[in-house]
Amino acid sequence: MKKVVLAYSGGLDTSVCVPILRERYGYDYIITVVVDVGQPESDIDSAVARAQMISDKHITIDAKEEFVEEYVFPLIKANGSYEGYVMGTAIARPLIAKKIVEVADKEGAQALAHGCTGKGNDQLRFEAVFRSTCYDVVAPVRELELTREWEIDYAAKKDIPITVSTKKPWSVDENLWSRSIEGGLLEEPSYAVPEEIYTWTVSPLKAPDEPETVEIEFDHGVPVGVNAKRFGSLSLVEHLNVVGGQHGVGRTDMIEDRVLGLKARENYEHPAATILLTAHADLEKLVLTRAELQFKKMVDEAFSELAYMGLMDEPLYLDLNAFIDKTQERVTGTVSLRLYKGSAVPIARSSSYALYSKELASFDSTMLNQKDAEGFAMYHGFQARLYKKVMS
Ligand code: ARG
């Protein structure tokens, strides 16, 4: 029996893949897998109901906690951001792919399938994981160059119960770290997006007139508490999505350079990500040296590139994480942010590892002999002076 495991979302692309894998590719046992990384529960429920109608076996895997602890937390430690995007979809794909492979191992399948097109990044992220196994890889939407119109028609013929909204013709990908809204009308860079694309955040224009302060506690670079209350990893992120969303925090409207080189207009919402990344970067400034901060900036950038591309098995990715983890040994303390009409601004921070010294920095301090700076000042800009002399 030819078995294939399909990474299933419940949407049009992955739904039409099921009969196509049977008819065009000759698989006789299709296993659909939904990996729960924090999609809305209603989406998961309808995906499961649909899968049970069309596939031979369906499996749902709750990977929310693993997603936060093994993928989101390393990203926070690395101040992860690709061109300003907090990378929710990007870091979830490798985890989903890993779960698909685990199912294939257990079920004795021959192939792994995804429903990505040939234009985006997701195909690359899935396949970076899939192709490091011995399974065949099948990508029907890309290989058969399926169009949306063809898929809608085909779904109707195959009695796949799917409602495609023509009123809201954009694609949403959601997990607990970010919600991506792209495609359709929104692709046009000069089009100002309608307010209705957002569901996690209120418009900053309509956010409360009263600011709210949140104090985030970090332990070794990882967030562990909010307002002096301890939280589990998953509930902390969920809580901050709600609090930040109420103040319109965490919206991004950007032009993104996809891995293949396409420029794409993207919209995202990510309240918790904005709060945690802002607080974390602020705390690092208090506890790391100038040299560490300068060097880590390059490391963070390299981490972000690899994370965006889904290359988490690249040895460099592990090397960078080893460096980052070493720096996080001192990233313990608290940062307070003020949330107000779309902004999250640090207003206070403290740590027992702070490199700030009141005695030394203070203007009234007598601990430093200011005369000592005289020699330093004399040599500061020395080469520029030599240059000026040569040129005059
Ligand atoms: N542009 C983002 C990324 O590459 C979001 C992709 C969203 N994916 C989707 N199938 N809607 O990570």
Side-chain angles (χ1 to χ4, degrees), residues 82 87 90-91 94 125 259 299-321:
Y82 175 80
M87 294 194 282
I91 59 169
R125 297 167 181 152
V259 180
V299 173
D300 290 349
E301 188 73 26
F303 170 102
S304 296
E305 284 268 328
L306 291 173
Y308 183 72
M309 293 191 282
L311 294 178
M312 293 184 175
D313 290 331
E314 159 64 48
L316 176 63
Y317 185 77
L318 305 174
D319 303 336
L320 297 174
N321 276 303

Side-chain angles (χ1 to χ4, degrees), residues 152-327:
I152 293 173
D153 201 45
Y154 181 77
K157 276 193 203 127
K158 294 287 152 193
D159 288 327
I160 300 174
I162 195 151
T163 39
V164 192
S165 153
T166 39
K167 273 231 303 297
K168 292 183 185 171
W170 44 71
S171 152
V172 173
D173 183 68
E174 188 167 332
N175 60 50
L176 50 86
W177 191 235
S178 86
R179 183 168 174 273
S180 130
I181 319 111
E182 63 176 32
L185 272 180
L186 313 180
E187 262 168 21
E188 173 55 50
S190 64
Y191 174 68
V193 301
E195 188 56 34
E196 60 173 322
I197 70 165
Y198 300 109
T199 63
W200 289 12
T201 51
V202 302
S203 162
L205 301 174
K206 295 203 175 126
D209 292 330
E210 276 305 303
E212 179 170 351
T213 301
V214 282
E215 186 195 66
I216 313 294
E217 183 183 349
F218 288 91
D219 183 16
H220 291 74
V222 165
V224 291
V226 180
N227 294 339
K229 195 174 149 214
R230 286 264 158 166
F231 276 83
S233 54
L234 176 58
S235 57
L236 183 136
V237 173
E238 287 172 341
H239 175 64
L240 290 177
N241 271 332
V242 174
V243 176
Q246 285 164 350
H247 290 275
V249 167
R251 286 185 177 186
T252 303
D253 180 338
M254 65 184 283
I255 304 296
E256 181 175 309
D257 292 291
R258 289 194 182 153
V259 180
L260 293 177
L262 281 177
K263 279 195 186 288
R265 198 285 186 80
E266 304 280 349
N267 283 276
Y268 300 109
E269 10 180 28
H270 41 78
T274 295
I275 291 171
L276 291 170
L277 290 169
T278 306
H280 177 266
D282 190 78
L283 185 57
E284 280 195 339
K285 285 193 186 174
L286 184 63
V287 300
L288 300 185
T289 65
R290 173 164 60 180
E292 283 179 305
L293 288 168
Q294 281 175 350
F295 190 78
K296 186 165 182 290
K297 209 179 202 168
M298 295 188 287
V299 173
D300 290 349
E301 188 73 26
F303 170 102
S304 296
E305 284 268 328
L306 291 173
Y308 183 72
M309 293 191 282
L311 294 178
M312 293 184 175
D313 290 331
E314 159 64 48
L316 176 63
Y317 185 77
L318 305 174
D319 303 336
L320 297 174
N321 276 303
F323 170 82
I324 291 168
D325 280 338
K326 182 79 179 79
T327 63

Side-chain angles (χ1 to χ4, degrees), residues 127-141:
E127 290 182 39
V129 176
F130 284 180
R131 292 191 188 277
S132 67
T133 68
C134 54
Y135 297 109
D136 291 334
V137 177
V138 198
V141 177

